[in-house]
Amino acid sequence: MTLTSYNPADPADLVLSVEPVGAAGTGAAVEAARAAQRGWLAAGAAARAAALGRAADAVEAAADELTALVVREVGKPVAEARGEVARTVAIWRYYAQAPFAPSGAVHEPAAGEGLLLTRRRPYGVAGLITPWNFPLAIPTWKAAPALAVGNTVVLKPAPEATACALRLAELAGLPAGVLTVVPGGADEGNALVSAADVVSFTGSTAVGRAVVATTTARGVPVQAEMGGLNAALVLPDADIAQAAAHLAAAIAGYAGQKCTATSRVIAVGDAYEPLAEALAKALATTPAADPASPQTVCGPVINEGALERLTQAIESARAAGATVLAGGQRAAREGWYLEPTLLEKVPADHPLASEEFFGPVAVLLPAADLDEAIALANDTRHSLSTSVHSRDLDTALAAADRLDAGMIRVNAPSSGVDFHLPFSGAKQAGYGAREQGQAVLDFYTASRTVTLLPAGGAR
């Protein structure tokens, strides 16, 4: 079956048509990567650092082209797409220095002469499975550190972002077998997870669990990022206008198609009424629009299936007694657009209040006090990112200590990631080691202890 990728803003626009490589092709790519890995490691730190630096330069030189491709293939608003390209360049440059990082330590022996060394060495072939919502940045923040420490990489991107992944690998210009993209779907993903020496996955919870089960059964290191049902806590003393602006950006930005997007807004006490009014107004002035326009914040959702799931969920919530405060309708334009939506009085057991829908939709929940707000925020299996909005630093810090999320942002949108810091969620939002920053270098390497004793016996 041919793999196709269409423009979500113009469903008649075919971006890419390519044949999937199949399980056999994926296995062949892994073997080619394994054959190339020894030479890639032996080339040395300076060669790897230079190669990653050249990749950064090539991506930077092609920034306009890549920005346009991201807008076209995944419907990301052009301002965000341009920011993603810049971030991708920065990630390549950040990890271009990693080959020179210490790879171990020297220790004193317990007795006698000699040396005890610890060294971190690459596993071999890193199998990477990436989503479509950050088609350049996520493949890069997985591939660059894996490559820096001496692994080779086989990347299986989401079908909807295959054109971006292929162009990224082409621009990186690495030696044959060092960075390979395998177009495909579940068959290719399963084959990669079953063959790679270390695996990093970002995607849905159901698929992530299967990836973890397969890799752990093989004894292979794995990290899995599986999304989040993210909350925002707004306290009565917060700057309501600022909080509403931050929340609107986190709900509607890129049509809510970020694992850190806000989907539950928890208003504490007297904050409820003014926040409901301010947030509904902010979302109403953030319409779903053409992603190629510099003013657009909320573009289309990724495909027709996603749009149908979202509209059906909204109608189901209405039927269950929910009230729509903003949006709730498809936009009156060609493409897969949904107006940014805010609902209140959504039953606690309704899927919109308990599951990730990956769209520009949020529910507004009341909490009598901070204790109840924290209990509501923590009442999820998918704790990735939570934001807290308050003028009281003591209260915000106290809340941060009690929240379960992997990332807690104070007076900022829940969306947003600093690539030089560790990134992961809590509970079922993530599994295994953290991504990004220096911490991920340990994930892509294994520690070895080496004992060196004098030749010729004891003196």
Side-chain angles (χ1 to χ4, degrees), residues 275-299:
L275 179 64
E277 180 180 354
L279 183 53
K281 182 178 179 180
L283 290 173
T285 55
T286 311
D290 181 2
S293 169
Q295 289 75 40
T296 295
V297 172
C298 180

Side-chain angles (χ1 to χ4, degrees), residues 93-136:
R93 289 198 172 130
Y94 177 77
Y95 286 111
Q97 301 306 308
F100 297 110
S103 62
V106 178
H107 301 264
E108 288 293 323
E113 296 181 286
L115 290 174
L116 298 179
L117 308 178
T118 58
R119 297 188 73 192
R120 302 201 68 87
R121 309 304 290 164
Y123 285 103
V125 179
L128 312 180
I129 299 177
T130 57
W132 48 262
N133 59 331
F134 287 87
L136 302 177

Side-chain angles (χ1 to χ4, degrees), residues 11 149 168 218 230 257 273 320 381 433:
V149 295
L168 177 66
R218 294 178 56 220
N230 306 306
Q257 298 173 127
E273 292 299 333
R381 296 168 295 168

Side-chain angles (χ1 to χ4, degrees), residues 3-6 73-74 132 157-164 302-303:
L3 182 153
T4 56
S5 176
Y6 287 90
E73 187 169 37
V74 301
W132 48 262
E160 297 89 344
T162 302
C164 287
I302 190 64
N303 54 39

Side-chain angles (χ1 to χ4, degrees), residues 23-173:
T26 303
V30 171
E31 289 308 309
R34 191 163 284 126
Q37 191 268 332
R38 186 177 295 273
W40 175 246
L41 178 62
R48 294 197 301 277
L52 269 61
R54 288 192 296 271
D57 292 343
V59 172
E60 185 173 49
D64 290 344
E65 172 203 343
L66 289 173
T67 296
L69 181 58
V70 170
V71 172
R72 183 181 175 211
E73 187 169 37
V74 301
K76 181 166 287 190
V78 65
E80 279 207 47
R82 189 174 294 113
E84 181 175 348
V85 174
R87 180 179 177 187
T88 301
V89 173
I91 294 169
W92 281 111
R93 289 198 172 130
Y94 177 77
Y95 286 111
Q97 301 306 308
F100 297 110
S103 62
V106 178
H107 301 264
E108 288 293 323
E113 296 181 286
L115 290 174
L116 298 179
L117 308 178
T118 58
R119 297 188 73 192
R120 302 201 68 87
R121 309 304 290 164
Y123 285 103
V125 179
L128 312 180
I129 299 177
T130 57
W132 48 262
N133 59 331
F134 287 87
L136 302 177
I138 292 181
T140 297
W141 87 42
K142 291 180 186 291
L147 293 165
V149 295
N151 298 284
T152 50
V153 165
V154 177
L155 167 65
K156 206 294 290 182
E160 297 89 344
T162 302
C164 287
L166 288 169
R167 185 58 178 140
L168 177 66
E170 183 179 34
L171 286 167

Side-chain angles (χ1 to χ4, degrees), residues 32-416:
R34 191 163 284 126
Q37 191 268 332
R38 186 177 295 273
W40 175 246
L41 178 62
R48 294 197 301 277
L52 269 61
R54 288 192 296 271
D57 292 343
V59 172
E60 185 173 49
D64 290 344
E65 172 203 343
L66 289 173
T67 296
L69 181 58
V70 170
V71 172
R72 183 181 175 211
E73 187 169 37
V74 301
K76 181 166 287 190
V78 65
E80 279 207 47
R82 189 174 294 113
E84 181 175 348
V85 174
R87 180 179 177 187
T88 301
V89 173
I91 294 169
W92 281 111
R93 289 198 172 130
Y94 177 77
Y95 286 111
Q97 301 306 308
F100 297 110
S103 62
V106 178
H107 301 264
E108 288 293 323
E113 296 181 286
L115 290 174
L116 298 179
L117 308 178
T118 58
R119 297 188 73 192
R120 302 201 68 87
R121 309 304 290 164
Y123 285 103
V125 179
L128 312 180
I129 299 177
T130 57
W132 48 262
N133 59 331
F134 287 87
L136 302 177
I138 292 181
T140 297
W141 87 42
K142 291 180 186 291
L147 293 165
V149 295
N151 298 284
T152 50
V153 165
V154 177
L155 167 65
K156 206 294 290 182
E160 297 89 344
T162 302
C164 287
L166 288 169
R167 185 58 178 140
L168 177 66
E170 183 179 34
L171 286 167
L174 297 170
V178 173
L179 173 58
T180 306
V181 176
V182 289
D187 288 347
E188 290 75 11
N190 290 335
L192 182 56
V193 168
S194 299
D197 302 309
V198 57
V199 173
S200 182
F201 166 88
T202 299
S204 71
T205 300
V207 177
R209 287 174 180 168
V211 168
V212 169
T214 299
T215 49
T216 52
R218 294 178 56 220
V220 169
V222 59
Q223 59 182 193
E225 295 302 328
M226 296 175 280
L229 187 66
N230 306 306
L233 281 62
V234 181
L235 278 71
D237 71 322
D239 181 327
I240 296 297
Q242 180 191 70
H246 286 161
L247 293 173
I251 294 166
Y254 188 25
Q257 298 173 127
K258 303 175 184 178
C259 57
T260 55
T262 295
S263 53
R264 295 181 299 149
V265 178
I266 303 170
V268 181
D270 293 340
Y272 190 93
E273 292 299 333
L275 179 64
E277 180 180 354
L279 183 53
K281 182 178 179 180
L283 290 173
T285 55
T286 311
D290 181 2
S293 169
Q295 289 75 40
T296 295
V297 172
C298 180
V301 297
I302 190 64
N303 54 39
E304 187 174 14
L307 182 58
E308 289 180 357
R309 285 193 300 275
L310 288 161
T311 53
Q312 289 172 5
I314 293 168
E315 289 308 310
S316 170
R318 277 177 165 149
T323 300
V324 175
L325 300 179
Q329 303 290 333
R330 290 189 61 164
R333 58 186 307 124
E334 292 296 321
W336 297 311
Y337 292 89
L338 176 69
E339 295 294 358
T341 300
L342 180 66
L343 302 100
E344 66 175 353
K345 300 177 183 177
V346 175
D349 59 350
H350 190 275
L352 276 180
S354 58
E355 299 175 12
E356 182 183 40
F357 271 81
F358 227 56
V361 180
V363 300
L364 180 61
L365 305 171
D369 53 29
L370 182 59
D371 288 341
E372 184 180 357
I374 291 172
L376 284 170
N378 288 342
D379 186 21
T380 174
R381 296 168 295 168
H382 310 289
S383 295
L384 179 58
S385 180
T386 299
S387 65
V388 179
H389 303 264
S390 172
R391 287 187 173 96
D392 188 326
L393 180 59
D394 289 346
T395 299
L397 291 175
D401 284 342
R402 298 170 59 193
L403 290 165
D404 291 339
M407 296 188 301
I408 298 159
R409 295 165 61 84
V410 176
N411 294 325
S414 65
S415 56

